Amino acid sequence: MRHVEQVMGMPVSVDVRDPVDVAPLYADLRRVDARFSPFRPDSEVSRYGRGEVAEVSAELAEVIDICRHYERISDGAFTATPPGRSFDPCGVVKGWAVQRAADALRRNGAQRFCLNAGGDVVAAGEPEPGRPWLVGIRHPEQADRMCAVLGVRDLAVATSATYERGEHILDGRTGRPARGLLSVTVVAGDLTTADCVATAAFAMGRAGAAWADTQPGCLVFAVDDDLAVHRSAALDPYLVADVV
């Protein structure tokens, strides 16, 4: 079964090869969006940013902890509070929320599915025996081209880039748009890690590609602003097509 809905400002599609109800997945993502969207003045995140929350929810406390962890290990390049801006945990929430949705699918009996949220993917099992799920890495400057295609099983893939939303990723150390990389794709065991590492690496600039490659359980495919590719050697077994 294939299904797609617009949630959290992006298309979220799921291809499930097991008989599972996907309606709760979308309901939970909508609930998360209502709590965490910095664009909704009544969300918990917005009220927290204005100092109006005396005691945060367990979910927000978890997200804040993740933000602080990646701010620390990236030496401040990744941050939910850039200079002159209100608290914005979007760099964590997308991957965290979608990973939670994937975990819920598994608990409900799904063993074979691909969940794609605006290009960030959680792949479980195989769509057919002996065949991996295929995930394309888009060329950062040419929308109709792929840099590579990955074949993955029980892995998550996240990409940070500017080609969809412009210069929205800031270097927390300066408060200015990050420079040096055009896109960073990270493969990891869960989407929370993949998404946070990809965002932090992009914020760090060119040094971020090598940094991401040192993070536990992470593989990286990055394109810098000279269109040079930086990738983990251990990524090669997952490359179904390398077209750069």
Side-chain angles (χ1 to χ4, degrees), residues 37-132:
S37 174
F39 308 108
R40 298 184 180 206
D42 60 339
S43 72
E44 184 180 9
V45 158
S46 294
R47 291 185 288 111
Y48 174 79
R50 295 193 300 266
E52 298 172 0
V53 177
E55 184 176 350
V56 301
S57 65
E59 288 181 336
L60 180 53
E62 181 180 348
V63 166
I64 291 171
D65 284 346
I66 296 170
C67 290
R68 288 172 176 168
H69 170 73
Y70 282 97
E71 181 170 357
R72 178 177 56 81
I73 67 173
S74 69
D75 292 328
F78 178 102
T79 183
T81 53
R85 303 235 179 170
S86 183
F87 178 71
D88 181 355
C90 287
V92 166
V93 169
K94 178 183 176 183
W96 173 82
V98 175
Q99 182 61 52
R100 281 165 45 101
D103 293 342
L105 275 179
R106 288 191 177 96
R107 288 194 300 271
N108 291 334
Q111 299 179 347
R112 301 171 299 152
F113 63 86
C114 185
L115 178 56
N116 186 326
D120 292 346
V121 172
V122 179
E126 299 178 330
E128 298 169 3
R131 185 169 72 84

Side-chain angles (χ1 to χ4, degrees), residues 16-230:
V16 185
R17 302 303 171 97
D18 301 301
V20 175
D21 182 11
V22 300
L25 179 157
Y26 290 98
D28 191 58
L29 288 176
R30 289 192 179 89
R31 184 189 62 78
V32 167
D33 188 41
R35 167 165 283 170
F36 286 96
S37 174
F39 308 108
R40 298 184 180 206
D42 60 339
S43 72
E44 184 180 9
V45 158
S46 294
R47 291 185 288 111
Y48 174 79
R50 295 193 300 266
E52 298 172 0
V53 177
E55 184 176 350
V56 301
S57 65
E59 288 181 336
L60 180 53
E62 181 180 348
V63 166
I64 291 171
D65 284 346
I66 296 170
C67 290
R68 288 172 176 168
H69 170 73
Y70 282 97
E71 181 170 357
R72 178 177 56 81
I73 67 173
S74 69
D75 292 328
F78 178 102
T79 183
T81 53
R85 303 235 179 170
S86 183
F87 178 71
D88 181 355
C90 287
V92 166
V93 169
K94 178 183 176 183
W96 173 82
V98 175
Q99 182 61 52
R100 281 165 45 101
D103 293 342
L105 275 179
R106 288 191 177 96
R107 288 194 300 271
N108 291 334
Q111 299 179 347
R112 301 171 299 152
F113 63 86
C114 185
L115 178 56
N116 186 326
D120 292 346
V121 172
V122 179
E126 299 178 330
E128 298 169 3
R131 185 169 72 84
W133 295 99
L134 300 181
V135 180
I137 300 176
R138 208 201 91 164
H139 192 289
E141 291 189 337
Q142 300 180 44
D144 60 344
R145 289 188 59 197
M146 294 290 162
C147 288
V149 177
L150 304 176
V152 295
R153 301 170 176 87
D154 298 314
L155 289 170
V157 183
T159 297
S160 288
T162 58
Y163 48 71
E164 291 289 348
R165 296 173 55 196
E167 295 182 328
H168 67 288
I169 302 174
L170 305 181
D171 181 340
R173 298 164 297 190
T174 65
R176 296 191 294 271
R179 294 284 186 270
L181 295 173
L182 297 181
S183 70
V184 181
T185 297
V186 172
V187 180
D190 67 275
L191 193 58
T192 305
T193 299
D195 194 21
C196 290
V197 170
T199 303
F202 194 97
M204 294 171 75
R206 289 200 180 200
W211 174 85
D213 199 23
T214 69
Q215 298 308 298
C218 292
L219 303 174
V220 62
F221 187 107
V223 182
D224 68 27
D225 53 10
D226 289 326
L227 294 180
V229 171
H230 309 263

